[in-house]
Amino acid sequence: MVDNGLDFVPYMRLALLEAKKAMGLDEVPVGAVIISNSGEVISKGHNLCIGLNDPTAHAEILAIRSACDKVSNYRLTGCILITTLEPCIMCMGALVHARIQGLVFGARDPKAGAVVSRMDFFSQITWLNHRFWIKEGVSSIECSNVLKLFFKSKRGLI
């Protein structure tokens, strides 16, 4: 599976702005953007688990919900999700159900990443009827630095 040749860096910058919104709310700074395959921004989201008292309120899930609402369909065929952090297994499942076309992520998540870090989602969950292409490492240093800054501040190291 191959991406469509778009330059994803500008979209990752939008996702990083969303991550910074989450950080400003004392949420884990993860941001996500959903675009059409032609590059139109459809939705954005950032983590709101604490603020919404909802463990499913990950940036990716909120962006999916917003995009589905905007297009009036629970399928996001032809759309691409760009996120600052490697998705967890819950978010990967949601991306499959939404029939997303592609996933772009910045930083790996060594604790809960379900794409490459903790598991290889598609090689371990083989029975799914939908797959999408994946591109990792877009603006990975910037994405990682936002998370490092947040957790250092939580530990009183800055």
Side-chain angles (χ1 to χ4, degrees):
M1 295 182 215
V2 192
D3 70 61
N4 65 356
L6 282 173
D7 177 10
F8 295 112
V9 173
Y11 302 106
M12 188 60 79
R13 285 190 193 115
L14 292 175
L16 280 162
L17 289 174
E18 289 296 312
K20 289 174 184 174
K21 287 179 187 177
M23 187 162 39
L25 298 169
D26 209 26
E27 301 269 358
V28 176
V30 178
V33 174
I34 295 180
I35 63 171
S36 69
N37 61 9
S38 65
E40 173 196 356
V41 175
I42 297 172
S43 69
K44 302 176 203 170
H46 54 273
N47 275 4
L48 284 173
C49 298
I50 298 166
L52 294 178
N53 295 313
D54 180 355
T56 69
H58 290 194
E60 299 91 336
I61 300 293
L62 297 177
I64 289 168
R65 289 176 183 163
S66 177
C68 288
D69 188 51
K70 185 170 181 181
V71 302
S72 299
N73 195 330
Y74 72 111
R75 299 288 196 220
L76 297 174
T77 307
C79 293
I80 301 163
L81 182 126
I82 296 100
T83 184
T84 58
L85 184 64
E86 177 184 3
C88 70
I89 195 166
M90 174 185 69
C91 292
M92 287 296 288
L95 292 171
V96 168
H97 285 287
R99 301 299 192 264
I100 207 88
Q101 175 183 323
L103 165 67
V104 177
F105 70 91
R108 286 188 174 192
D109 183 355
K111 289 184 75 176
V115 180
V116 291
S117 296
R118 299 302 296 172
M119 71 180 294
D120 180 343
F121 189 83
F122 288 124
S123 71
Q124 291 178 268
I125 303 177
T126 58
W127 58 88
L128 297 170
N129 62 343
H130 177 73
R131 292 175 177 263
F132 47 84
W133 57 260
I134 297 168
K135 181 179 182 103
E136 78 163 291
V138 174
S139 305
S140 61
I141 293 170
E142 295 90 335
C143 294
S144 179
N145 285 343
V146 169
L147 288 157
K148 287 177 184 174
L149 177 66
F150 176 77
F151 287 110
K152 280 182 180 179
S153 71
K154 286 295 200 192
R155 294 180 185 110
L157 299 174
I158 58 169

